[in-house]
Amino acid sequence: MDDIVRAAIAKWPNVPHCYGWLALDARGNWRMRDERCQGLNLQGDIIRHPALLDFIHRNYLHDQDGQWYFQNGPQRVYVDLEATPYIARTDHQGLVLHTGKPLCAPTSAYMDNAGILYFVAGQVVARVDDRDLTECLTWLRLQDALPADDLLEAWLAGEHDSIELQIEFPFSSNSSRLTLNKTQLSELMQQAGYVQRPRKPENSCG
C-alpha cells in the first residue's frame, strides 16, 4: 500500500466503503461501473489510464472476510470479480499476473469443465486468460506425452478418473510439474475463502 494512502486512512478513518463501482473481468481488465451499468448488470468501461492502473495494482488487497478491494486514498472500493482475484497471462519468462507481477512457483493447478486453467500460489488464485489458454494446454502431460484432446475431454467429463494428468512449466529451470485437479470456479473461490461480489448494508455507498 502506498504511504500516501496510509496517511489518508489515518487522517479520514471513517470514510464509507464503496461497492459495485469497480470490477475485474476474466481477462484482467479493470472496469468502472456507473449506476447505469450496475442497474443493467453491464461490465462497465475498461480503465486504460496507465498511472491509474498502477495505482490500483499497488493498493489492491483483501479484507479478513476474503473480499477484494482497491484502497483509493481513505476509501475502500470493493471489487466485483468476474472470475478470480488475479488473471494470469503468458510471456517469454512464464506466467504474469494482470498486476504485472510474476506468478512464481504455483503450488496447485486446476481445470474446470470448460477447460479453463487456474493456478494457486499462496494467497494468489489466478485464472488463465482465455487468450493464452491454447499455449498453456501444451504444458499438459500424461506421463511424458501431451494427452490427446479426446482423452482430456473424457477426463473432464468424469471418465478416466484413475488417470493422473500433470502440467509441466516450460519456464522452470527444474522442469517442475504439478498434478492437475478438476474443480469449478465457485468451489475454488470457496476453498480460498474469497468473495466474488462483495456487498454490505444499505448505509454503504454504491
Side-chain angles (χ1 to χ4, degrees):
M1 185 185 296
D2 290 358
D3 289 340
I4 192 172
V5 172
R6 292 191 181 94
I9 295 172
K11 187 173 182 180
W12 297 287
N14 299 314
V15 176
H17 301 331
C18 189
Y19 297 86
W21 287 77
L22 183 64
L24 180 70
D25 71 22
R27 287 184 168 179
N29 296 306
W30 291 104
R31 292 178 176 269
M32 184 64 69
R33 305 179 69 246
D34 58 18
E35 292 181 356
R36 176 179 176 274
C37 290
Q38 293 178 51
L40 297 176
N41 198 28
L42 302 175
Q43 282 193 312
D45 296 328
I46 295 177
I47 299 173
R48 302 187 186 277
H49 194 283
L52 177 54
L53 291 172
D54 287 344
F55 184 52
I56 294 173
H57 293 158
R58 292 196 306 270
N59 298 281
Y60 182 45
L61 306 160
H62 67 83
D63 65 17
Q64 62 184 5
D65 297 317
Q67 301 177 120
W68 288 79
Y69 64 91
F70 156 49
Q71 189 68 48
N72 183 24
Q75 186 174 56
R76 187 175 289 189
V77 181
Y78 280 95
V79 178
D80 283 3
L81 302 171
E82 183 179 1
T84 50
Y86 292 95
I87 304 301
R89 301 163 179 153
T90 61
D91 72 4
H92 64 284
Q93 295 181 328
L95 289 165
V96 178
L97 301 175
H98 74 279
T99 59
K101 293 183 178 181
L103 176 57
C104 298
T107 54
S108 303
Y110 300 89
M111 181 176 281
D112 65 20
N113 59 10
I116 300 294
L117 282 168
Y118 303 84
F119 297 110
V120 176
Q123 294 184 325
V124 173
V125 178
R127 179 191 195 269
V128 172
D129 188 323
D130 64 302
R131 295 168 294 187
D132 294 318
L133 189 59
T134 298
E135 178 182 354
C136 293
L137 289 178
T138 66
W139 305 346
L140 296 183
R141 294 292 180 269
L142 175 58
Q143 296 181 346
D144 291 320
L146 183 69
D149 290 344
D150 56 349
L151 185 146
L152 179 59
E153 291 174 3
W155 181 79
L156 287 173
E159 305 171 27
H160 307 307
D161 281 341
S162 61
I163 292 176
E164 182 178 288
L165 294 180
Q166 295 182 315
I167 188 160
E168 182 176 47
F169 300 107
F171 46 84
S172 171
S173 59
N174 297 322
S175 298
S176 60
R177 288 190 181 188
L178 291 175
T179 297
L180 186 65
N181 301 289
K182 284 183 282 190
T183 193
Q184 297 304 319
L185 173 60
S186 59
E187 296 172 0
L188 189 58
M189 292 290 279
Q190 183 176 18
Q191 178 180 324
Y194 294 151
V195 178
Q196 282 185 269
R197 289 176 57 84
R199 290 296 180 269
K200 283 291 184 181
E202 295 179 358
N203 61 355
S204 60
C205 77

